[in-house]
Amino acid sequence: MAHKASKNIPSVNIASPSWRYLEVLSFISSDNYSKRKAVPKTFSLGQESLLEAFRDPESTEGYPCRVALLLEKVPTARALLRGLLFSGCDVSSISEISSESEEVVYSYKELFFDTSVFRNTLLKIAYIRSLPQETENDKFEKQMLSWGHYLGCDYIAWKIGVNRAPRSPSESVQKILDDSSWRSSEHRMSSLVSDESKEARSWVPAVLRSAEMMRAIENSSGMENALSELKIKLEGDDNTISIKDLDAEIKG
């Protein structure tokens, strides 16, 4: 019997990256919230700290959570932190770039931007495309997430004036070579006389120059390694003896 395709596509719910924060908001917005003292058993420690921050804004308990809440309320800080998290950069590096403690970064990630909801690259791109662009803050956040995904946290750090550990010459040239190669290939999606094709062809010299530089670096590195190995082989262990010692051995 031939297989009959289903007319209905099963839906898959994708959680918001702020799902833990939204659960806390839903709890404090419920009709009988003022009468409820018990915290939902499903809440994480971070959610409990956030709930306490709403209940007692003057308290210093759960300090990392309170700082994370502050960063969420400042549009520029929120956008930058989300862009860094979206890049997949580790928490210690984000802490270094943002000049904030790792505890605060962990707290922000848990409560406001849980990147684990994006199970693959396709969903990350879809999320970027779904972001609004109605205000300048909206546009800035979308740009930060785009930078994070396509260019990485080091690019964001560079753009905001944070000096990170420099790349080696070979890493820098390789990155230019990769980028130029892809840009020079974009003409395949357009006609040969289009502006896009002209732009793509303008990257060809950069590809050739980068390839030559990479070959020079690799040859130079290979020669240096070969000379080092040769030096070790030639030097070896020094088993020679002086003329005086040799003369003493001959005389017995």
Side-chain angles (χ1 to χ4, degrees), residues 4 37 83-84 93 141 154 174 176 179 204 212 219 247:
K4 188 175 181 180
K37 295 184 179 180
L84 291 168
S93 295
E141 182 169 329
D154 284 338
Q174 183 64 58
I176 294 172
D179 185 61
V204 173
E212 285 295 326
N219 290 342
D247 185 54

Side-chain angles (χ1 to χ4, degrees), residues 224-237:
E224 289 175 0
N225 292 335
L227 289 174
S228 298
E229 292 176 5
L230 180 60
K231 183 179 179 182
I232 294 172
K233 290 179 180 178
L234 289 175
E235 290 179 346
D237 296 325

Side-chain angles (χ1 to χ4, degrees), residues 2-116:
H3 174 72
K4 188 175 181 180
S6 173
K7 294 182 179 180
N8 298 321
I9 300 176
S11 61
V12 178
N13 291 326
I14 301 174
S16 164
S18 303
W19 65 273
R20 290 188 180 91
Y21 171 61
L22 295 175
E23 282 187 348
V24 174
L25 287 184
S26 177
F27 176 71
I28 63 178
S29 300
S30 58
D31 295 335
N32 57 346
Y33 166 67
S34 58
K35 300 178 181 179
R36 298 171 66 179
K37 295 184 179 180
V39 177
K41 295 180 179 180
T42 57
F43 273 16
S44 66
L45 291 177
Q47 287 176 301
E48 290 181 12
S49 295
L50 181 61
L51 182 59
E52 183 60 29
F54 282 122
R55 286 176 169 174
D56 187 2
E58 302 301 323
S59 173
T60 57
E61 186 178 349
Y63 179 75
C65 169
R66 293 172 186 271
V67 177
L69 180 59
L70 170 64
L71 295 175
E72 174 67 8
K73 291 181 177 180
V74 179
T76 300
R78 162 194 162 111
L80 285 166
L81 199 48
R82 290 188 171 212
L84 291 168
L85 288 167
F86 207 62
S87 73
C89 194
D90 60 86
V91 169
S92 62
S93 295
I94 296 176
S95 171
E96 176 191 348
I97 294 170
S98 62
S99 301
E100 188 52 85
S101 70
E102 292 187 16
E103 291 77 14
V104 169
V105 177
Y106 271 120
S107 184
Y108 187 89
K109 180 177 182 180
E110 178 195 357
L111 295 171
F112 302 105
F113 204 66
D114 178 10
T115 54
S116 68

Side-chain angles (χ1 to χ4, degrees), residues 116-175:
S116 68
V117 303
F118 307 111
R119 58 178 296 164
N120 56 44
T121 302
L122 306 179
L123 293 178
K124 292 181 74 174
I125 296 173
Y127 181 75
I128 294 174
R129 288 177 59 85
S130 71
L131 294 174
Q133 300 186 80
E134 297 175 1
T135 67
E136 290 302 314
N137 287 332
D138 289 341
K139 293 176 183 177
F140 184 68
E141 182 169 329
K142 188 166 187 172
Q143 185 179 48
M144 290 305 103
L145 267 72
S146 296
W147 284 358
H149 177 67
Y150 293 108
L151 300 170
C153 65
D154 284 338
Y155 180 81
I156 295 178
W158 173 69
K159 289 292 287 186
I160 63 176
V162 177
N163 293 321
R164 299 268 287 160
R167 294 192 184 96
S168 67
S170 59
E171 289 175 333
S172 297
V173 175
Q174 183 64 58
K175 189 169 183 64

